[in-house]
Amino acid sequence: MKGERKTPPAIKGTQDILPPYVKKWQKAETEAKGLFELYGYKEIRTPVFEPTELFQKGTGPTSDIVTKEMYTFVDKGGRSLTLRPEYTPSVVRAIIEHRLYLQPEPLRFYFIGPMFRYDKPQKGRYRQFHQVNIEVFNEKDSAIDAEIVEMADILLHKLGVSDIEVLVNSVGCKKCRPSYHQELKSKAQAQKELLCEDCQRKIETNPLRIFDCKKETCREVSQEFPKIIDFLCSECKEHFEKFCSYLDSYQIPFRVEPRLVRGLDYYTKTTFEIVSSRLGSQDAVLGGGRYDDMMTEFGGPDICGIGFAMGMERLLSVMPYRAEKDQFLYIVYLGEEAKKEGMELVRELRREGVPCLIEYKDKSLKNQMSRANKLEATWTLIIGEEEVKSGEYSLKNMESGVQEKVGREGIREAVKGR
Ligand code: ATP
Ligand code: MG
């Protein structure tokens, strides 16, 4: 129609999270925060955008994220900025900037918030998605690697997520990885024509990333490639063996998955993922690993790090949830005096923590009663002229249908008894 103004819909790959579904988000977030605090983690919040170089460096110039997926823009001051595609580089930057390593508190952080990646939108893959992240710094012992996996496992169980599998691997270190790299390169070179174009390029730039490819043929070919686990130096081998033995003592079943690699130099030793068989092709609920050399790479002190990132959307799609009904008192009033009385009453009750709803539409009693019904109020309180005079109100329990005359104290007793 001419002159009609249309609001553009939300951008592809982004989602509105509406009530009541948002309650499921809140439940997962609350459980996660509560659990992390039990393990000594503290919340940290950093900006949504950062200088583009931070991610080029922290996420790696050859990674999918940096080469294809970043939301980068130039601001009015001519600076290149990027909406964060992942969290670790920001945390490392903040630790260095505020010299948090000089404080006595353990460097254990958690964070929940949106991430942005220009990926192909599909089930389990969005352009704005949300992550729950945790990071620990300055803990070299593989006991922390196991404790992190244990914490993730507990969280998923607490949230009722079943059919999960823990996958682990080690990517070695600066000492042992180069010889593996050589071996991998030559094997990949020999089978070059079987790999996709992308992977052919990766042979030269970053052969480990071939394992990341989602294409079936590349996956099959890479199955036969040498495994990094057979190339570990004694230090990395011991770290991995101990990590596995700690997982055993926690009685957490796991499988060694040679495909779990990270293509960046500062990723070291442990990598892990928790996958769900209910997720289909995007099956990782969370992924994590150790990055002992990242802090020094960023010009900070020689402090090791490890962490994981869990995708909220993927978590929620496998998390069972039955919404509990909201309990609240609905005020029905008739006339100005009753309205004032109602306003005063809800103010008092809300202060005491009783959820109340009063709507100011001055409708008829019948209309208001049917509103209360539709909204499935737990109780309805009727205030008319009579009630204002006597100070006694009609309180209706909407479930049982029982109606009684009560004073203010009586309301309290009735609603707090629940
Ligand atoms: P994938 O192999 O699925 O692309 P990734 O290696 O890019 O995962 P990470 O960077 O390790 O993933 O992110 C950790 C978690 O964040 C993933 O396990 C997943 O649950 C979630 N995640 C990553 N990218 C997306 C996305 N585009 N949409 C929704 N969730 C995502
Ligand atoms: Mg990805």
Side-chain angles (χ1 to χ4, degrees), residues 348-356 416:
E348 221 173 80
L349 289 168
R350 283 170 180 160
R351 264 195 217 144
E352 293 169 25
V354 178
C356 297
K416 287 191 175 162

PDB file of all heavy atoms in Angstrom, residues 348-356 416:
ATOM      1  N   GLU A 348       2.361  -2.336  48.895  1.00  0.00           N
ATOM      2  CA  GLU A 348       2.711  -2.999  50.150  1.00  0.00           C
ATOM      3  C   GLU A 348       3.106  -4.457  49.910  1.00  0.00           C
ATOM      4  O   GLU A 348       4.149  -4.909  50.375  1.00  0.00           O
ATOM      5  CB  GLU A 348       1.443  -2.992  51.019  1.00  0.00           C
ATOM      6  CG  GLU A 348       1.662  -2.695  52.473  1.00  0.00           C
ATOM      7  CD  GLU A 348       0.294  -2.556  53.148  1.00  0.00           C
ATOM      8  OE1 GLU A 348      -0.288  -3.612  53.451  1.00  0.00           O
ATOM      9  OE2 GLU A 348      -0.187  -1.406  53.314  1.00  0.00           O
ATOM     10  N   LEU A 349       2.272  -5.165  49.173  1.00  0.00           N
ATOM     11  CA  LEU A 349       2.527  -6.589  48.941  1.00  0.00           C
ATOM     12  C   LEU A 349       3.797  -6.829  48.124  1.00  0.00           C
ATOM     13  O   LEU A 349       4.571  -7.737  48.411  1.00  0.00           O
ATOM     14  CB  LEU A 349       1.332  -7.246  48.235  1.00  0.00           C
ATOM     15  CG  LEU A 349       0.080  -7.403  49.089  1.00  0.00           C
ATOM     16  CD1 LEU A 349      -1.116  -7.785  48.226  1.00  0.00           C
ATOM     17  CD2 LEU A 349       0.291  -8.445  50.195  1.00  0.00           C
ATOM     18  N   ARG A 350       4.008  -6.019  47.102  1.00  0.00           N
ATOM     19  CA  ARG A 350       5.220  -6.173  46.278  1.00  0.00           C
ATOM     20  C   ARG A 350       6.470  -5.950  47.113  1.00  0.00           C
ATOM     21  O   ARG A 350       7.470  -6.642  46.952  1.00  0.00           O
ATOM     22  CB  ARG A 350       5.196  -5.192  45.104  1.00  0.00           C
ATOM     23  CG  ARG A 350       4.264  -5.625  43.987  1.00  0.00           C
ATOM     24  CD  ARG A 350       4.089  -4.518  42.981  1.00  0.00           C
ATOM     25  NE  ARG A 350       3.209  -4.875  41.889  1.00  0.00           N
ATOM     26  CZ  ARG A 350       2.598  -3.986  41.105  1.00  0.00           C
ATOM     27  NH1 ARG A 350       2.779  -2.685  41.332  1.00  0.00           N
ATOM     28  NH2 ARG A 350       1.833  -4.381  40.129  1.00  0.00           N
ATOM     29  N   ARG A 351       6.392  -4.974  48.027  1.00  0.00           N
ATOM     30  CA  ARG A 351       7.532  -4.729  48.915  1.00  0.00           C
ATOM     31  C   ARG A 351       7.849  -5.955  49.743  1.00  0.00           C
ATOM     32  O   ARG A 351       8.981  -6.198  50.106  1.00  0.00           O
ATOM     33  CB  ARG A 351       7.226  -3.575  49.857  1.00  0.00           C
ATOM     34  CG  ARG A 351       7.767  -2.289  49.353  1.00  0.00           C
ATOM     35  CD  ARG A 351       7.764  -1.282  50.486  1.00  0.00           C
ATOM     36  NE  ARG A 351       7.416   0.017  49.954  1.00  0.00           N
ATOM     37  CZ  ARG A 351       6.695   0.933  50.575  1.00  0.00           C
ATOM     38  NH1 ARG A 351       6.222   0.686  51.786  1.00  0.00           N
ATOM     39  NH2 ARG A 351       6.447   2.070  50.016  1.00  0.00           N
ATOM     40  N   GLU A 352       6.801  -6.722  50.039  1.00  0.00           N
ATOM     41  CA  GLU A 352       7.010  -7.947  50.823  1.00  0.00           C
ATOM     42  C   GLU A 352       7.322  -9.135  49.919  1.00  0.00           C
ATOM     43  O   GLU A 352       7.405 -10.268  50.379  1.00  0.00           O
ATOM     44  CB  GLU A 352       5.756  -8.242  51.651  1.00  0.00           C
ATOM     45  CG  GLU A 352       5.528  -7.199  52.710  1.00  0.00           C
ATOM     46  CD  GLU A 352       4.164  -7.325  53.362  1.00  0.00           C
ATOM     47  OE1 GLU A 352       3.607  -8.441  53.353  1.00  0.00           O
ATOM     48  OE2 GLU A 352       3.662  -6.300  53.858  1.00  0.00           O
ATOM     49  N   GLY A 353       7.438  -8.881  48.635  1.00  0.00           N
ATOM     50  CA  GLY A 353       7.851  -9.954  47.727  1.00  0.00           C
ATOM     51  C   GLY A 353       6.708 -10.740  47.117  1.00  0.00           C
ATOM     52  O   GLY A 353       6.930 -11.810  46.562  1.00  0.00           O
ATOM     53  N   VAL A 354       5.479 -10.229  47.221  1.00  0.00           N
ATOM     54  CA  VAL A 354       4.352 -10.932  46.613  1.00  0.00           C
ATOM     55  C   VAL A 354       4.127 -10.368  45.196  1.00  0.00           C
ATOM     56  O   VAL A 354       3.894  -9.178  45.041  1.00  0.00           O
ATOM     57  CB  VAL A 354       3.060 -10.738  47.443  1.00  0.00           C
ATOM     58  CG1 VAL A 354       1.884 -11.445  46.771  1.00  0.00           C
ATOM     59  CG2 VAL A 354       3.258 -11.236  48.865  1.00  0.00           C
ATOM     60  N   PRO A 355       4.213 -11.217  44.166  1.00  0.00           N
ATOM     61  CA  PRO A 355       3.983 -10.724  42.804  1.00  0.00           C
ATOM     62  C   PRO A 355       2.520 -10.337  42.604  1.00  0.00           C
ATOM     63  O   PRO A 355       1.612 -11.129  42.880  1.00  0.00           O
ATOM     64  CB  PRO A 355       4.342 -11.925  41.909  1.00  0.00           C
ATOM     65  CG  PRO A 355       4.960 -12.945  42.805  1.00  0.00           C
ATOM     66  CD  PRO A 355       4.496 -12.662  44.195  1.00  0.00           C
ATOM     67  N   CYS A 356       2.291  -9.109  42.173  1.00  0.00           N
ATOM     68  CA  CYS A 356       0.927  -8.606  41.987  1.00  0.00           C
ATOM     69  C   CYS A 356       0.804  -7.975  40.613  1.00  0.00           C
ATOM     70  O   CYS A 356       1.765  -7.419  40.100  1.00  0.00           O
ATOM     71  CB  CYS A 356       0.621  -7.501  42.997  1.00  0.00           C
ATOM     72  SG  CYS A 356       0.664  -8.032  44.694  1.00  0.00           S
ATOM     73  N   LYS A 416       1.013 -16.118  51.088  1.00  0.00           N
ATOM     74  CA  LYS A 416       2.318 -16.571  51.533  1.00  0.00           C
ATOM     75  C   LYS A 416       2.313 -18.046  51.910  1.00  0.00           C
ATOM     76  O   LYS A 416       3.361 -18.675  51.968  1.00  0.00           O
ATOM     77  CB  LYS A 416       2.823 -15.716  52.691  1.00  0.00           C
ATOM     78  CG  LYS A 416       3.250 -14.357  52.183  1.00  0.00           C
ATOM     79  CD  LYS A 416       4.003 -13.575  53.220  1.00  0.00           C
ATOM     80  CE  LYS A 416       4.512 -12.287  52.592  1.00  0.00           C
ATOM     81  NZ  LYS A 416       4.874 -11.321  53.625  1.00  0.00           N
TER      82      LYS A 416
END
